[in-house]
């Protein structure tokens, strides 16, 4: 009977007894499923935590893109160059350009060699070799001869294509210039400068061209000539190109015509301030995301813990409130923005000398964290534009260093100087250098950063071999007998420091990645428990339906017996 009731997955519960056993089982299953439902809610909460971490990672990724775009002096220090007469010259500045004005006088432009045949051709498809045999067109460029074999029947257009498509072409371009109903043949050297000469050689046997120079219009190649600030007087500086990259340090100048123009170089303070605001906005986006995901609000309406679909709905806190990993990330970012940059030092006086840096922290140039707990911007960075602009106008290079110095070595001593370091090995920071010069003029007992250092007597170098300063080298300049000690600093700007920190946080072994893996492991374990619970519930339901099926069968038997007895009694009463 039980087999029949369950066969094919179709159930006919309570047909005989009139009892809705299926509904009873469903209600019992709801009670039995409480643990599974709790685990599914638990899983959902962990998925929300994981999603929250991924949201933080997204904002961190955006911030890293911003800081990576301004973590070198050349990226951060925006300078502009302007020409008073752009028809004579234009200019572009990099970070090496010194602010100021430069008088530029252009005497002549650099030109290339151009030969134009004065006799025109009426048809570009007309044959230029009707001799019945191959002829040669020979030209020389940059002092080297080159030969084109012109077969019988070759057209004017065909010769142009042969020259241009020649795999041995030394850098010339042939073309046809139409004037009225005539086509003029032109051969042009593609390189500027006096040394790039071009000529048609006398060994040319192609009779379509007359080799007499009178039939050829020639533009001779020449160098550009120019003066900077009236120098050199009475003569010219020369360049084979109209693009000057070394005439003025940090400037690329494009010559356009002869004449005089003033080229001025300025620091683009507005652009730098714009970039600083972009950094602050990116940092605040990370802080705001963390703030929103960890906030506790007394105004939050809590749901009954027994009815809430998430534990977060039954609490005053948020999805990551009290999370140690998030607190670690938040704390680290706040430390970076408030502390001194690696290798920077506060400015101080010692023995009548000024040491340290003008700016060693963001606060000194007007970038501070809002500490007003009543403010909606509490915990976020704010920029004092007046103070920032003042610093940029007064000492732009020092502001640029604070943001974007990258492995810049400085010695605080007049007795020794920074020599070099190993990228990726030597850590930015401030290191104490100590050594002695003995009576023989040898360097002894040398140390850097508290670790014994290697000495190279010939070059007077002291090299750190261990510790965070490993690979850092200084050169001793004062070899007078005595004991010496002072600091050497390897400076790293805020952008590089933040970039390295963000990279570490999001790396395979970083804080966020480890927490994400842990959360995924927890979710996986919960899913396994849910799977086991679902299997248990399925077996429980099967067993319950078998039991109720047997009960239904028993009740049916009793019902049939009751009916039989009732029928027998009725028959007895009739008799």
């Amino acid at each position: 009977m039980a087999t029949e009731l369950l066969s094919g997955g179709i159930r006919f519960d309570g047909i005989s007894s009139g009892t809705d056993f299926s509904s009873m089982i469903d209600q019992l299953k709801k009670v039995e499923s409480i643990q599974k439902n709790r685990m599914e809610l638990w899983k959902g909460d962990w998925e929300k935590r994981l999603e929250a971490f991924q949201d933080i990672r997204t904002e961190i990724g955006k911030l890293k893109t911003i800081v990576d775009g301004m973590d070198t002096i050349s990226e951060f220090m925006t300078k502009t160059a302007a020409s008073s007469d752009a028809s004579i010259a234009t200019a572009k500045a990099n970070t090496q350009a010194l602010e100021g004005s430069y008088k530029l006088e252009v005497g002549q432009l650099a030109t290339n060699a151009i030969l134009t045949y004065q006799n025109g051709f009426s048809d570009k498809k007309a044959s230029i070799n009707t001799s019945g045999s191959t002829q040669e067109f020979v030209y020389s460029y940059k002092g080297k001869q080159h030969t084109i074999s012109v077969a019988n029947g070759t057209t004017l257009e065909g010769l142009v294509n042969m020259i241009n498509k020649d795999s041995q072409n030394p850098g010339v371009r042939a073309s046809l210039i139409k004037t009225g109903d005539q086509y003029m043949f032109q051969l042009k050297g593609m390189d500027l400068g006096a040394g790039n000469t071009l000529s048609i050689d006398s060994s040319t046997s192609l009779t379509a061209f007359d080799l007499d120079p009178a039939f050829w219009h020639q533009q001779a190649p020449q160098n550009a000539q120019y003066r900077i600030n009236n120098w050199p007087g009475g003569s010219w500086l020369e360049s084979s190109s109209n693009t000057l990259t070394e005439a003025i340090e940090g400037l690329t100048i494009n010559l356009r015509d002869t004449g005089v123009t003033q080229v001025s170089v300025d620091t683009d303070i507005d652009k730098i301030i714009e970039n600083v605001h972009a950094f602050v906005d990116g940092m605040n986006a990370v802080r705001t995301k963390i703030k929103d995901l960890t906030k506790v609000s007394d105004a939050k309406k809590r749901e009954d813990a027994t009815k809430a679909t998430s534990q977060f709905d039954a609490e005053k806190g948020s999805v990551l409130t009290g999370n140690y990993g998030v607190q670690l990330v938040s704390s680290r970012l706040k430390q970076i923005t408030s502390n001194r940059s690696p290798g920077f030092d506060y400015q101080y006086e010692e023995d009548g000398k000024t040491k340290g840096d003008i700016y060693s922290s963001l606060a000194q140039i007007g970038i501070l964290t809002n500490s007003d707990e009543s403010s909606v911007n509490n915990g976020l960075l704010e920029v004092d534009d007046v103070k920032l602009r003042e610093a940029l106008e007064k000492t732009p290079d020092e502001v640029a260093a604070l943001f974007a110095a990258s492995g810049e070595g400085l010695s605080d001593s007049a007795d020794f100087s920074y020599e070099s370091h190993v990228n990726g090995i030597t850590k930015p920071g401030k290191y104490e250098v100590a050594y002695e010069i003995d009576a023989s003029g040898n360097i002894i007992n040398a140390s850097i950063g508290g670790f014994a250092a290697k000495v190279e007597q010939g070059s007077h170098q002291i090299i750190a071999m261990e510790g965070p300063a490993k690979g850092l080298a200084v050169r001793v300049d004062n070899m007078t007998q005595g004991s010496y000690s002072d600091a050497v600093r390897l400076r790293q700007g805020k952008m590089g420091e933040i970039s390295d920190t963000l990279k570490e946080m999001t790396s395979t072994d970083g804080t966020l990645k480890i927490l994400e893996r842990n959360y995924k492991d927890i979710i996986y374990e919960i899913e396994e428990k849910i799977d086991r619970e679902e299997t248990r519930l399925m077996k429980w339901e099967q067993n319950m339906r078998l039991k109720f099926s047997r009960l239904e069968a028993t009740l049916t038997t009793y019902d049939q017996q009751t009916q039989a007895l009732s029928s027998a009694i009725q028959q007895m009463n009739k008799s």
Side-chain angles (χ1 to χ4, degrees):
M1 183 67 177
T3 303
E4 292 176 358
L5 289 171
L6 294 172
S7 63
I10 301 175
R11 300 186 295 270
F12 302 97
D13 298 334
I15 291 176
S16 299
S17 65
T19 304
D20 189 353
F21 293 127
S22 181
S23 179
M24 292 172 59
I25 293 172
D26 289 342
Q27 292 301 315
L28 289 171
K29 187 177 180 181
K30 288 181 180 179
V31 177
E32 197 70 21
S33 299
I34 289 175
Q35 182 62 21
K36 172 178 171 289
N37 294 338
R38 286 175 177 169
M39 285 190 288
E40 287 178 339
L41 292 177
W42 190 25
K43 173 189 171 184
D45 287 341
W46 284 102
E47 287 175 335
K48 289 178 182 178
R49 291 189 180 97
L50 181 59
E51 183 180 346
F53 268 110
Q54 291 168 346
D55 288 344
I56 293 174
R57 278 174 57 86
T58 298
E59 295 301 333
I60 284 178
K62 293 177 183 177
L63 175 60
K64 190 171 187 304
T65 298
I66 293 171
V67 298
D68 285 350
M70 51 193 293
D71 63 349
T72 63
I73 297 293
S74 61
E75 291 173 328
F76 180 84
M77 195 66 168
T78 305
K79 291 190 176 182
T80 59
S83 171
S84 62
D85 191 339
S87 67
I88 293 173
T90 59
K92 184 178 181 180
N94 64 28
T95 55
Q96 302 303 313
L98 297 178
E99 294 185 18
S101 182
Y102 306 87
K103 179 183 177 181
L104 172 65
E105 183 179 357
V106 183
Q108 68 180 34
L109 296 178
T111 60
N112 55 340
I114 302 176
L115 295 174
T116 306
Y117 191 53
Q118 300 288 65
N119 287 350
F121 297 84
S122 59
D123 189 351
K124 63 182 178 181
K125 295 187 180 298
S127 175
I128 57 172
N129 181 4
T130 58
S131 66
S133 60
T134 299
Q135 296 180 334
E136 293 183 339
F137 178 76
V138 185
Y139 65 91
S140 291
Y141 185 56
K142 299 182 182 179
K144 292 185 178 180
Q145 193 177 74
H146 198 69
T147 301
I148 298 293
S149 296
V150 183
N152 183 58
T154 299
T155 65
L156 179 64
E157 186 177 51
L159 174 63
V160 170
N161 290 334
M162 290 170 64
I163 294 172
N164 293 338
K165 295 181 180 180
D166 181 12
S167 61
Q168 302 300 315
N169 187 310
V172 300
R173 178 77 180 175
S175 61
L176 296 176
I177 301 173
K178 188 174 183 181
T179 59
D181 58 356
Q182 296 286 303
Y183 291 92
M184 316 298 288
F185 175 80
Q186 187 177 86
L187 195 64
K188 179 191 299 183
M190 301 306 292
D191 302 292
L192 301 176
N196 302 311
T197 57
L198 175 66
S199 62
I200 308 299
D201 289 5
S202 59
S203 57
T204 294
S205 60
L206 184 61
T207 55
F209 297 107
D210 192 319
L211 302 184
D212 187 338
F215 288 91
W216 293 85
H217 178 272
Q218 180 176 1
Q219 174 179 287
Q222 65 182 24
N223 289 338
Q225 294 183 341
Y226 61 95
R227 294 190 184 102
I228 304 291
N229 292 335
N230 298 317
W231 185 84
S235 60
W236 297 93
L237 298 170
E238 293 197 1
S239 169
S240 61
S241 170
N242 288 320
T243 299
L244 311 179
T245 57
E246 297 180 343
I248 302 174
E249 185 179 11
L251 285 182
T252 298
I253 301 172
N254 292 307
L255 306 181
R256 297 183 178 275
D257 202 351
T258 58
V260 179
T261 184
Q262 291 290 135
V263 177
S264 58
V265 179
D266 295 291
T267 299
D268 192 345
I269 292 177
D270 289 336
K271 182 62 177 177
I272 293 175
I273 291 176
E274 180 184 326
N275 291 339
V276 170
H277 274 278
F279 153 67
V280 169
D281 290 344
M283 179 63 77
N284 283 343
V286 175
R287 291 190 175 187
T288 299
K289 179 61 68 174
I290 293 175
K291 187 177 178 181
D292 290 343
L293 293 171
T294 58
K295 66 183 178 182
V296 176
S297 174
D298 290 331
K300 180 179 178 181
K301 184 178 179 181
R302 292 187 295 178
E303 295 183 15
D304 188 330
T306 62
K307 299 178 180 179
T309 57
S310 168
Q311 74 175 74
F312 307 126
D313 297 330
E315 298 174 348
K316 293 286 188 180
S318 302
V319 64
L320 292 178
T321 298
N323 186 281
Y324 172 74
V326 176
Q327 291 175 346
L328 189 63
V329 170
S330 178
S331 175
R332 185 73 183 98
L333 291 178
K334 288 178 180 178
Q335 286 177 356
I336 291 175
T337 52
S338 62
N339 291 350
R340 281 182 295 171
S341 296
F344 284 75
D345 201 0
Y346 294 123
Q347 202 168 67
Y348 62 97
E349 296 289 329
E350 185 178 274
D351 298 329
K353 295 180 180 180
T354 301
K355 293 187 176 183
D357 302 287
I358 296 176
Y359 308 117
S360 56
S361 68
L362 295 178
Q364 292 174 301
I365 59 171
I367 302 175
L368 293 162
T369 298
N370 186 316
S371 58
D372 183 359
E373 295 184 359
S374 64
S375 171
V376 293
N377 293 324
N378 176 245
L380 302 184
L381 292 179
E382 293 181 341
V383 182
D384 183 338
D385 284 329
V386 174
K387 193 171 184 178
L388 176 58
R389 183 176 292 276
E390 181 183 348
L392 284 167
E393 289 175 347
K394 185 178 179 180
T395 50
D397 292 337
E398 292 300 321
V399 176
L402 175 63
F403 273 91
S406 179
E408 182 184 10
L410 297 171
S411 171
D412 287 344
S413 172
D415 297 313
F416 62 86
S417 54
Y418 163 83
E419 184 72 10
S420 64
H421 71 278
V422 180
N423 287 329
I425 300 297
T426 311
K427 305 299 182 185
K430 180 179 180 180
Y431 301 101
E432 189 72 15
V433 177
Y435 59 94
E436 297 176 19
I437 305 295
D438 66 13
S440 300
N442 292 318
I443 303 169
I444 60 173
N445 300 326
S447 65
I448 297 180
F451 294 90
K454 177 183 177 182
V455 175
E456 293 187 353
Q457 300 291 353
S459 61
H460 299 171
Q461 286 191 22
I462 302 173
I463 304 170
M465 303 303 291
E466 54 185 318
K470 183 178 180 180
L472 179 64
V474 300
R475 184 184 67 252
V476 176
D477 300 313
N478 180 6
M479 296 299 293
T480 304
Q481 183 179 0
S483 298
Y484 301 86
S485 66
D486 213 323
V488 63
R489 296 182 287 124
L490 190 63
R491 300 199 300 180
Q492 181 185 40
K494 280 297 175 188
M495 298 301 97
E497 183 186 9
I498 292 171
S499 179
D500 289 346
T501 300
L502 297 179
K503 182 179 179 181
E504 178 186 336
M505 286 179 179
T506 56
S507 67
T508 303
D509 297 325
T511 305
L512 290 175
K513 207 66 178 178
I514 291 173
L515 286 169
E516 284 184 18
R517 283 201 301 268
N518 290 342
Y519 284 10
K520 287 179 180 179
D521 289 343
I522 291 171
I523 291 171
Y524 177 75
E525 290 175 359
I526 295 173
E527 287 174 341
E528 286 189 321
K529 291 179 179 180
I530 291 173
D531 289 341
R532 290 195 294 269
E533 189 65 11
E534 286 177 342
T535 300
R536 185 191 71 79
L537 286 172
M538 183 182 67
K539 292 180 178 179
W540 174 88
E541 185 176 2
Q542 288 176 345
N543 291 332
M544 291 301 294
R545 293 195 182 279
L546 283 173
K547 290 179 180 179
F548 279 96
S549 294
R550 295 191 188 100
L551 176 59
E552 173 72 11
T554 301
L555 291 175
T556 299
T557 300
Y558 289 158
D559 184 61
Q560 289 173 346
Q561 292 176 353
T562 300
Q563 291 178 7
L565 288 171
S566 296
S567 178
I569 292 171
Q570 290 176 1
Q571 289 296 326
M572 290 175 64
N573 290 335
K574 289 179 181 180
S575 60

